[in-house]
Amino acid sequence: MLRWVLALVMVVGLNASGHAQPLIHQPAIALVNSAASFLAVAMTGAGFGTPDPGSALLVLDPTGISVVFSQDDCDSHPVPCVVSWEPEVVVVKLPTTIQRGRMYITVGGGALVSEPSRAQYWEYEWQKTPAGPISSNPLAIAVNNNAAPYDDPLHRVWLNDEVHVGFKVLTPGSPISFLPVSAPTPGPFYRGGVQTNVSGNGEDTLVDPYGRVWFNQGGDHLPPLASGNHSRVVLYDPASIAFPRVWNIPGNQTETFGLAYEKDYEPGRDRVWYNARSQTTGVSTILPARIGWFDTDDATLWHDGSLSFDPPASCTAGFCSDNPTRPCAQSSDCAHTDQVCWWNEVGSSSHANCGFVEYPLEPVGSFPHFGGTLTSFLGHMAIGSDGSVWAADYWGQSGLVRLDPVSATVTRYPLGDNAGRGPATPRGAAPWEISIARNGDVVVGEFLDFSASRLDVSQLGPPGACESLIGGANPCVTTIDIPGPLTAVPPSPSPPACTNPEPYVLHSLNLDAYGSTWFTTWGSPRDPKSRATVGFVSPRWNSLSLFPPLSLYPLAPGEAVNNACLDPCFPSQPVAPLLAGIAVDDSTGDTWFADYCRWRLGRLSPIVTNLALARPGVVASMSDPGLCFFGICGTASNAIDGDIDGNWANESVAHSFFTNKPYWQVDLGNSFALEELELWNRTDCCAARLQNFDVFVSDNPFVSTDPAVTAMQPGVLRIHQGPAPGRVFASPINRSGRYIRIQLLGSSDPLQLAEVLVYGVR
């Protein structure tokens, strides 16, 4: 199903501590489509305050529409109207005739917003697993971002349902296809009190460097001593899609949630990393939580999915009979334990068949879990730029775990627990999804604290650095809180159990090619305007963008929903969107996400976007870092960092030297159909310096740095501006272009640019 929606989004800059700075806004975002009867506009920021009736948001261009705040429900008003107005988030509905236009909000002294980028919002109806009434909520998704020859010209999206008997793949333009995988009898998983082939743990999906796709499987979360609850790792190769390979993870109750792929751990050999939860009996720990790996080229481990977990060994005196160092409590704990060893046992005569190598994690305390206790419970994983293995400690210390595979050193970096951001539980912030930034920093989503955090790996050098909290926070971590309400409580709760608040959470995150961190959120199903949405953090981690809540676009009558997601406190209320996995296709710019409860797959496809954002091809008439003073440098790339903040102190202004006719230039990488250019000026002083300048646009490289010569070069568009434009200069382009140059024509002033935005069709 295709739906057209306009969603203009303002974002706000944040300082180093993660607190919002009032009225510093970024380029807007528009979701453009035609089937909806309104256009949804969301502005995310700070300082909006609590408006009085009569406060307004004004669409400055081209229509001049004023949207006046009212205390009434927007659903009872024709558009334009205000859906909600809070200090950090304003949501309005506009007529569908508006597709371009800057916004001005009147509360707090006013704030101007950029011309919006535009994207297309597509919805794909989910298909239930074709083997009976299985809930099959879409959870983990992945796309192929490899370069040729391991890229994917079909741009397929690979899908792992939380509950499944197989996997799925979507080729855009075609129906979702089912990918079967075999299972032994009895089934390898324990779910709903029985042994079954229905996995209840489809938490991860990844595409490896060769374009092959990996999935995890496992059973339910279980009380202590449950037997026959195993985990598997499945590989699909798109070149031979009918022949999946399956690896049975040794042991029982492993709950393998996270996977990571490491290429060339030894020359020509790759391995897959996995994690396993701690195993307990009541209050006693049998096995600690652990991180392990297996070699993808170990032919002795390849097998089809029919291989049983039935243990050939017995549990005798607390250890498996075929592995004298493997603790156990029952025979099912010894499934395939002849193939697993600890890292320091590799090569020993007693572990000749060691195909799975595991590293134990020291317990950090005991936590309640389904009638028993756990000492650690890892979420997702990633391989660091230095070959280290990172995991999110979802249920444990509330932090990040780093494993050095060579020394077997395990280091923990706590994230703390912001009590004001989420409910008090043993999980604390509950870090879940993890990714590695281009500079090696570790990015993680804090599930229950409704926040995104980044660990600066450049500060990890000295022993003990970043391993302790100071004032409840890690000094090496930047945290950005997601704006909006944190919990929702029904206004007239019945029964009494409905008084428990339901949290808003950040579920999944992923990075795009430009370094932006995309994420999905869960709103509360008890909030009629549930804040389940998609957003992203800028590459510099100093600003945040949110799309409008998807609850504004309910399912059509008769569309299927998962009844398990119905809120017992409001049984007649429509199922709220809860967004889960997210993946960005770097070659198309599409962002894909799972709408968990509504059995949908969402796609944000860019139409008109800022093509200059984070482009590597930036040159200027001064060498970086540009002019420096007060310890801050005006690096040329500051003008395409996604931040229109014009205050020099906030380190986002490009600043040339005092030289003759200084210029700034970007190579967009290809020629695109360009619509408009915006230049955002410095704000703390000296705004008049941006005057008497030319903007040049060309499909071919410029042959001279002399503006008179450049203006005469064949195929070059020249746009001249005389007086200083104030906060922002905007001009239509309406032609193709690859190279953009801004050049002052005078000889006395430096060139200062807070941001350059080049809107065009990708």
Side-chain angles (χ1 to χ4, degrees), residues 38-355:
F38 61 88
L39 309 176
V41 180
M43 285 149 290
T44 309
F48 297 148
T50 302
D52 297 322
S55 296
L57 179 143
L58 178 67
V59 182
L60 294 179
D61 179 45
T63 59
I65 290 178
S66 179
V67 186
V68 179
F69 174 77
S70 171
Q71 299 287 355
D72 297 331
D73 186 354
C74 187
D75 292 337
S76 63
H77 283 269
V79 293
C81 64
V82 178
V83 175
S84 61
W85 193 315
E86 300 171 13
E88 294 179 310
V89 181
V90 175
V91 179
V92 301
K93 293 181 180 180
L94 294 178
T96 57
T97 53
I98 299 178
Q99 292 191 3
R100 304 297 296 269
R102 292 174 186 82
M103 313 296 293
Y104 189 86
I105 191 166
T106 61
V107 172
L112 180 67
V113 191
S114 169
E115 178 73 20
S117 298
R118 292 176 295 186
Q120 195 166 305
Y121 173 36
W122 305 75
E123 292 175 339
Y124 297 85
E125 188 170 0
W126 202 251
Q127 295 180 4
K128 295 180 66 176
T129 302
I134 300 171
S135 60
S136 62
N137 298 68
L139 189 61
I141 62 178
V143 296
N144 184 342
N145 281 321
N146 292 316
Y150 300 115
D151 59 343
D152 181 11
L154 298 178
H155 302 289
R156 285 169 288 197
V157 184
W158 303 90
L159 319 165
N160 196 355
D161 292 350
E162 183 172 43
V163 179
H164 65 264
V165 295
F167 310 102
K168 294 169 184 169
V169 58
L170 170 68
T171 302
S174 301
I176 293 176
S177 299
F178 180 70
L179 306 177
V181 59
S182 58
T185 301
F189 315 118
Y190 189 90
R191 182 175 181 271
V194 297
Q195 294 297 134
T196 176
N197 68 340
V198 179
S199 168
N201 175 14
E203 300 286 346
D204 209 353
T205 306
L206 65 87
V207 177
D208 71 19
Y210 311 102
R212 304 175 304 178
V213 190
W214 298 80
F215 304 89
N216 76 313
Q217 292 187 303
D220 284 347
H221 308 304
L222 292 171
L225 287 179
S227 62
N229 190 38
H230 303 289
S231 293
R232 309 195 305 176
V233 176
V234 181
L235 166 65
Y236 273 90
D237 186 345
S240 56
I241 199 71
F243 303 100
R245 294 173 180 165
V246 181
W247 283 259
N248 287 349
I249 301 300
N252 180 38
Q253 299 187 62
T254 46
E255 285 193 330
T256 295
F257 279 153
L259 302 174
Y261 193 94
E262 183 181 8
K263 187 176 185 294
D264 293 330
Y265 79 97
E266 291 180 354
R269 301 192 71 89
D270 300 353
R271 56 185 170 186
V272 168
W273 290 87
Y274 62 91
N275 57 43
R277 70 168 225 189
S278 60
Q279 186 176 348
T280 61
T281 59
V283 296
S284 300
T285 298
I286 303 170
L287 278 172
R290 51 213 181 274
I291 295 174
W293 63 266
F294 59 87
D295 190 320
T296 62
D297 294 319
D298 186 344
T300 66
L301 298 180
W302 294 350
H303 53 76
D304 63 34
S306 63
L307 183 65
S308 173
F309 277 91
D310 290 341
S314 61
C315 183
T316 304
F319 290 91
C320 294
S321 61
D322 62 355
N323 189 331
T325 61
R326 194 71 173 183
C328 59
Q330 54 195 338
S331 61
S332 61
D333 299 339
C334 298
H336 303 305
T337 50
D338 61 321
Q339 298 179 338
V340 66
C341 64
W342 300 115
W343 68 276
N344 56 355
E345 297 173 335
V346 176
S348 66
S349 59
S350 60
H351 291 86
N353 297 323
C354 185

Side-chain angles (χ1 to χ4, degrees), residues 621-675:
S621 55
M622 76 292 189
S623 58
D624 275 346
L627 185 68
C628 300
F629 55 96
F630 295 109
I632 299 172
C633 295
T635 306
S637 59
N638 286 353
I640 52 172
D641 62 4
D643 187 354
I644 65 172
D645 185 354
N647 189 325
W648 175 261
N650 293 330
E651 304 183 52
S652 184
V653 175
H655 196 304
S656 78
F657 294 111
F658 290 78
T659 187
N660 186 40
K661 297 181 177 63
Y663 70 88
W664 180 98
Q665 178 180 316
V666 64
D667 176 0
L668 302 178
N670 285 291
S671 287
F672 297 98
L674 305 181
E675 290 194 358

Side-chain angles (χ1 to χ4, degrees), residues 476-492:
C476 306
V477 172
T478 299
T479 296
I480 293 183
D481 297 329
I482 310 304
L486 301 179
T487 60
V489 180
S492 301

